Amino acid sequence: MTTAAPDLRTRAEALGQSLPPLLAEAEMLASTVMMGEHGRRRAGLGDEFWQYRPAHQGDSARMIDWRRSARSDAHFVREREWQAAQSVTIWIDPAKSMAFTGDRARPPKSDRARLLGLALAVLLLRGGERVGLAGLASPRAGRAQLLRLAERLAAEAAGADYGAPETEGMVSHGRAVFLSDFLGDLKAIEAGLARAADRGVKGVLIQVLDPAEEEFPFDGRTIFDSMGGTLTHETRQAGDLRARYLARLAERKERLAALARAVGWHFTTHHTGAPAQGALLWAYMALQGGR
């Protein structure tokens, strides 16, 4: 299913409007960053002194504050405050598996992932952040970026059966959001997280699943086909598979949570049968805590 860019944008902004406390916080954050009076205390490219830290291997000699270092036996680097807006890169899985819905009354996983991604961009852009799409749009600030993101998300994507996180365009020491069902190769997911971690990127994993994938409401003769048509499995007693399926799904969730913890990320699962507000609130707060 393809949703027109203006419609997707309207739905995303409506979702953002339903969370006034978060919008108030975003407006306050944007004003403090722009005024430069209470900027986020983070090492970066600003002009104001923040702190001294011990020199690390790889620091160049020009980074050493020799006057401070002369007062001790160690070398120290003078760090400055980050006053520029932070960059957030969003990856939304374009894989065919994301087109699944177990009920026509529910949106496909891909629609919900796009809606959540764009709604989060609304909140972040209103807060003065730079937001981009991994591999599609570099992080930028301003409302014009919102339409650009919506247009990219509305475009048809020729994905594989299952997706692997894209890290192209991520800004070093920035933040990231991965939206996917994460039902593909765990090694590919682990590799994507490792690449992000190597750049100092912190973020969140949001696993988007259909309730049918959680409940496995199948019984009797059933044919299971992958959304891309490359995998198929027929059984005469689908109910007998339920316990094993649910155990493997629980194991995968535990593994995803462990991978996220290992690199300082956050993980949650969102169901397309549930309201989107809860997942949006969680993601926004998790990103704020990741500063």
Side-chain angles (χ1 to χ4, degrees), residues 52-75:
Y52 290 111
R53 67 162 173 83
H56 301 154
Q57 184 176 1
D59 290 335
S60 63
R62 63 183 179 81
M63 297 174 63
I64 305 297
D65 188 296
W66 297 105
R67 180 176 298 178
R68 171 64 181 84
S69 300
R71 301 201 301 268
S72 69
D73 296 330
H75 289 159

Side-chain angles (χ1 to χ4, degrees), residues 13-269:
E13 289 196 291
L15 181 55
Q17 288 285 4
S18 69
L19 295 170
L22 290 185
L23 292 178
E25 180 182 352
E27 291 172 358
M28 180 180 70
L29 180 60
S31 66
T32 57
V33 171
M34 288 186 292
M35 293 298 293
E37 295 178 354
H38 303 287
R40 283 158 287 181
R41 305 297 289 180
R42 187 182 183 107
L45 305 177
D47 296 325
E48 296 183 10
F49 170 71
W50 178 26
Q51 67 175 5
Y52 290 111
R53 67 162 173 83
H56 301 154
Q57 184 176 1
D59 290 335
S60 63
R62 63 183 179 81
M63 297 174 63
I64 305 297
D65 188 296
W66 297 105
R67 180 176 298 178
R68 171 64 181 84
S69 300
R71 301 201 301 268
S72 69
D73 296 330
H75 289 159
F76 288 87
V77 170
R78 182 184 180 93
E79 289 191 327
R80 300 181 184 280
E81 182 179 352
W82 186 301
Q83 293 178 310
Q86 181 63 289
S87 294
V88 181
T89 304
I90 301 172
W91 173 70
I92 299 175
D93 191 348
K96 293 183 176 67
S97 67
M98 294 293 289
F100 176 75
T101 178
D103 189 324
R104 292 183 179 180
R106 293 192 295 265
K109 293 183 290 184
S110 56
D111 271 20
R112 178 55 61 86
R114 291 172 184 173
L115 179 60
L116 282 172
L118 194 58
L120 186 56
V122 169
L123 295 177
L124 293 168
L125 288 167
R126 287 179 179 174
E129 311 282 1
R130 293 188 177 99
V131 183
L133 294 174
L136 296 175
S138 299
R140 296 182 184 178
R143 289 194 60 81
Q145 177 72 343
L146 188 61
L147 181 57
R148 187 178 296 110
L149 298 181
E151 290 171 345
R152 298 290 192 278
L153 290 176
E156 287 286 350
D161 267 2
Y162 299 100
E166 172 65 70
T167 56
E168 180 183 348
M170 287 188 179
V171 177
S172 295
H173 303 290
R175 288 172 291 159
V177 179
F178 290 171
L179 284 147
S180 172
D181 55 18
F182 298 113
L183 296 179
D185 185 359
L186 275 172
K187 291 183 178 179
I189 299 168
E190 184 175 6
L193 280 171
R195 290 194 300 271
D198 286 344
R199 301 182 190 180
V201 175
K202 296 293 180 66
V204 298
L205 302 179
I206 303 177
Q207 183 182 40
V208 181
L209 295 177
D210 186 273
E213 294 173 316
E214 285 277 14
E215 300 162 3
F216 200 82
F218 309 106
D219 207 355
R221 183 177 181 272
T222 308
I223 299 176
F224 299 97
D225 290 319
S226 66
M227 296 303 295
T230 60
L231 300 172
T232 186
H233 177 75
E234 180 177 356
T235 179
R236 294 184 180 276
Q237 296 178 322
D240 292 346
L241 302 176
R242 184 175 294 113
R244 280 183 289 167
Y245 169 83
L246 294 178
R248 292 189 65 178
L249 180 61
E251 180 182 349
R252 175 169 288 259
K253 287 183 180 181
E254 290 175 3
R255 179 60 178 156
L256 288 167
L259 288 174
R261 286 195 302 270
V263 293
W265 284 43
H266 302 275
F267 169 76
T268 193
T269 298

